[in-house]
Amino acid sequence: AMVGARGIYFQVHVSNNPDNLSMAVVDFEAGGCSSVTFSPDTGAVIRERKVREVPRKVEGAYIQPLPNLPPGERFHGQLGVYLAGGKLAFFRQFWNATGTLSGPWESTGFVSDLGWAAGRRLTPCLAFRSEGPYSVHIAPRLSSSPPPLPQEAWALREPNLESIGWAPLDWEAEADAI
């Protein structure tokens, strides 16, 4: 198992989220066209690759390793991504209305390897669906390990990442919509 393997962990604190935000790892900077994105609101992870620019065509897949938030609720709390041994895992921990922790860390477990990345450099990023008064702060330091989780949280996603239930999610823009 990958628990205890040295890796890199990146975390942000989301104190105001008026709509929807996601955390992604992308390979765009070095000429790639792919990403893996985690939505803390839906608990889903989406893997996408742009196949064609005009008309735009994207091939992808998704998996739902964590539960949705209740309807109408927005994620507030801590959000992280962990890369170790060539595999990615995402984390979330909720805050209540007073800004204090309201539950344990949750993780997708390792849901993807790096086979999707075409570029040589990976970049963590945040995506905001709509404009608004978001308040997101990067944690004060990077870490070589993620928040502690029970061993069974990791074991669920090993050893064959392709067999964990990825569903296709492909789309193509209509030629007249461009």
Side-chain angles (χ1 to χ4, degrees), residues 20 25 32 35 37 82 96-98 110 115-116 139 142 145 157-158:
N20 187 306
V25 177
S35 64
T37 304
Y82 180 53
N96 62 25
T98 63
F110 287 113
W116 56 271
L142 294 175
S145 59
R157 306 289 178 230
E158 297 279 348

Side-chain angles (χ1 to χ4, degrees), residues 17-88:
N17 179 10
D19 184 35
N20 187 306
L21 68 95
S22 298
M23 177 175 272
V25 177
V26 302
D27 70 349
F28 305 153
E29 199 170 321
C33 56
S34 302
S35 64
V36 174
T37 304
F38 172 63
S39 167
D41 289 344
T42 66
V45 178
I46 300 170
R47 187 174 52 201
E48 296 177 298
R49 181 176 65 90
K50 183 171 56 175
V51 177
R52 184 178 60 234
E53 184 65 40
V54 178
R56 179 158 294 192
K57 181 177 181 180
V58 175
E59 293 178 349
Y62 74 95
I63 188 168
Q64 181 83 40
L66 295 174
N68 283 311
L69 290 178
E73 287 193 26
R74 303 282 182 239
F75 176 80
H76 296 88
Q78 300 179 108
L79 184 58
V81 61
Y82 180 53
L83 172 62
K87 297 178 183 177
L88 285 171

